[in-house]
Amino acid sequence: AYTYRSILVSLFRCFDPAQIKFCFSWKDSVTGVEVKSTNLVFERLSMMYNLGVMHYNYANKLNESHPQYKLAAKHYWSAAALFEKISQEVNLLQLQEIGVNFSEPSLSLNINSAKAHAHRCIYELFKEKHALTNPWGVAKIAFRVGDLYYIAYKTNPLPLPKDKAKIPTYDSKRACWGCYAKLFHGIAYFQGVMLYSKESSDYNLGSMGISMGFILQAEKLFKEAEAFMPQVDPVTKTFAQQHIT
């Protein structure tokens, strides 16, 4: 993929893109509709999109059985950077007939979810080392992860044609991000309880009240996360059950 990208860059340097009359095609992964264009920029953006998906999917694989959070985070950041670059160029060039994949909501969805996954990897790495020594740091990162998943969840709906008005895979992904948003916000509040634990030298009735408030808020958020459970994938469901119970 990177070799082909290099070839396209060389074509840009050697020829005027307007003089190249090759017809490039792109099959939209959301609608399945084939989009054709003689625009060399469109082909370059298509290749960048494929590279972004490659980084994204590889990062997902790294997190499956024996998580490699540091490497996975790197690939999620690479994916986000590529999708951001595509978004900037699409808006700048105002390309026509770009399909759903290159629409602003679709690219925003990819950018925000990749960033959320990357921050989740950072959370897991930080938690492994500092769960007991720095609960406030764990709580702050968890809350940030929740914020990013919520942004992905609230991204504008995809501009789908009427015959593709509902896509189960897309709906399931949004449910997963909504579930993770509630879970990580709940985890953040639960971590906050440790700041006011009985082992603390200044633990008093005020601290106990704050702890109870955090626990109640965490329970509320976990219950809201539970509402997404019928739609989420098995991995998200397992993660949710581990924290809700």
Side-chain angles (χ1 to χ4, degrees):
Y2 277 102
T3 301
Y4 183 53
R5 184 188 179 193
S6 298
I7 293 172
L8 291 175
V9 171
S10 298
L11 286 173
F12 264 95
R13 291 173 179 169
C14 299
F15 302 97
D16 179 356
Q19 295 177 341
I20 297 176
K21 299 301 181 183
F22 296 121
C23 185
F24 301 104
S25 62
W26 168 267
K27 189 173 183 179
D28 196 280
S29 64
V30 177
T31 63
V33 175
E34 188 175 45
V35 180
K36 294 183 178 181
S37 175
T38 57
N39 193 325
L40 189 58
V41 175
F42 178 78
E43 178 66 3
R44 183 167 61 85
L45 295 182
S46 299
M47 177 51 58
M48 289 171 65
Y49 189 94
N50 284 334
L51 289 172
V53 171
M54 180 189 74
H55 281 293
Y56 194 105
N57 289 341
Y58 184 60
N60 286 341
K61 287 287 183 184
L62 289 171
N63 279 342
E64 283 183 355
S65 54
H66 302 287
Q68 300 178 51
Y69 295 120
K70 189 172 182 179
L71 185 57
K74 179 181 177 181
H75 284 283
Y76 282 130
W77 284 123
S78 296
L82 283 163
F83 292 132
E84 283 183 329
K85 180 66 175 173
I86 295 168
S87 181
Q88 292 166 3
E89 293 202 24
V90 166
N91 291 333
L92 184 65
L93 296 170
Q94 296 182 334
L95 295 172
Q96 302 297 318
E97 300 297 328
I98 57 175
V100 175
N101 285 150
F102 296 98
S103 66
E104 187 277 329
S106 177
L107 291 170
S108 293
L109 205 60
N110 290 337
I111 293 165
N112 294 327
S113 62
K115 287 181 177 179
H117 291 326
H119 274 79
R120 181 181 171 187
C121 292
I122 294 169
Y123 162 81
E124 295 291 353
L125 288 168
F126 191 86
K127 186 183 70 170
E128 284 178 4
K129 293 183 178 180
H130 306 290
L132 297 177
T133 59
N134 190 359
W136 178 241
V138 175
K140 286 197 296 184
I141 297 174
F143 208 87
R144 176 60 177 157
V145 174
D147 283 347
L148 288 167
Y149 274 119
Y150 186 74
I151 291 170
Y153 172 68
K154 296 298 287 184
T155 302
N156 291 332
L158 300 182
L160 301 173
K162 290 182 179 180
D163 61 334
K164 298 280 185 179
K166 193 172 181 62
I167 299 178
T169 305
Y170 168 67
D171 292 338
S172 176
K173 283 183 178 179
R174 285 194 72 248
C176 289
W177 295 323
C179 185
Y180 279 130
K182 299 296 182 181
L183 284 172
F184 276 98
H185 282 153
I187 290 169
Y189 278 103
F190 199 77
Q191 282 290 327
V193 175
M194 294 183 66
L195 296 171
Y196 301 94
S197 64
K198 290 182 179 179
E199 288 74 22
S200 175
S201 59
D202 59 347
Y203 195 79
N204 51 42
L205 288 177
S207 298
M208 186 182 296
I210 293 172
S211 295
M212 286 303 299
F214 281 173
I215 290 172
L216 290 173
Q217 184 64 18
E219 288 179 346
K220 176 177 176 290
L221 287 162
F222 288 154
K223 193 167 184 178
E224 290 173 356
E226 207 168 2
F228 289 101
M229 295 283 272
Q231 289 181 278
V232 303
D233 59 36
V235 174
T236 306
K237 185 173 289 187
T238 300
F239 183 87
Q241 288 170 340
Q242 289 171 347
H243 290 82
I244 291 172
T245 56

PDB file of all heavy atoms in Angstrom, residues 13 26 29:
ATOM      1  N   ARG A  13       4.328  14.636  -9.056  1.00  0.00           N
ATOM      2  CA  ARG A  13       5.526  15.446  -9.288  1.00  0.00           C
ATOM      3  C   ARG A  13       5.880  15.551 -10.769  1.00  0.00           C
ATOM      4  O   ARG A  13       6.425  16.562 -11.212  1.00  0.00           O
ATOM      5  CB  ARG A  13       6.711  14.845  -8.522  1.00  0.00           C
ATOM      6  CG  ARG A  13       6.585  14.990  -7.006  1.00  0.00           C
ATOM      7  CD  ARG A  13       7.678  14.227  -6.305  1.00  0.00           C
ATOM      8  NE  ARG A  13       7.594  14.374  -4.849  1.00  0.00           N
ATOM      9  CZ  ARG A  13       8.294  13.659  -3.987  1.00  0.00           C
ATOM     10  NH1 ARG A  13       9.138  12.721  -4.426  1.00  0.00           N
ATOM     11  NH2 ARG A  13       8.158  13.859  -2.685  1.00  0.00           N
ATOM     12  N   TRP A  26     -13.606   3.391  -6.770  1.00  0.00           N
ATOM     13  CA  TRP A  26     -13.592   3.173  -5.328  1.00  0.00           C
ATOM     14  C   TRP A  26     -14.934   2.603  -4.936  1.00  0.00           C
ATOM     15  O   TRP A  26     -15.981   3.152  -5.253  1.00  0.00           O
ATOM     16  CB  TRP A  26     -13.352   4.503  -4.599  1.00  0.00           C
ATOM     17  CG  TRP A  26     -13.587   4.460  -3.120  1.00  0.00           C
ATOM     18  CD1 TRP A  26     -14.746   4.763  -2.450  1.00  0.00           C
ATOM     19  CD2 TRP A  26     -12.653   4.070  -2.121  1.00  0.00           C
ATOM     20  NE1 TRP A  26     -14.577   4.592  -1.098  1.00  0.00           N
ATOM     21  CE2 TRP A  26     -13.299   4.173  -0.869  1.00  0.00           C
ATOM     22  CE3 TRP A  26     -11.317   3.656  -2.153  1.00  0.00           C
ATOM     23  CZ2 TRP A  26     -12.663   3.861   0.331  1.00  0.00           C
ATOM     24  CZ3 TRP A  26     -10.690   3.347  -0.962  1.00  0.00           C
ATOM     25  CH2 TRP A  26     -11.358   3.460   0.251  1.00  0.00           C
ATOM     26  N   SER A  29     -17.294   1.338   1.267  1.00  0.00           N
ATOM     27  CA  SER A  29     -17.453   0.210   2.191  1.00  0.00           C
ATOM     28  C   SER A  29     -18.767   0.264   2.966  1.00  0.00           C
ATOM     29  O   SER A  29     -19.198  -0.741   3.525  1.00  0.00           O
ATOM     30  CB  SER A  29     -16.283   0.182   3.185  1.00  0.00           C
ATOM     31  OG  SER A  29     -16.287   1.338   3.998  1.00  0.00           O
TER      32      SER A  29
END
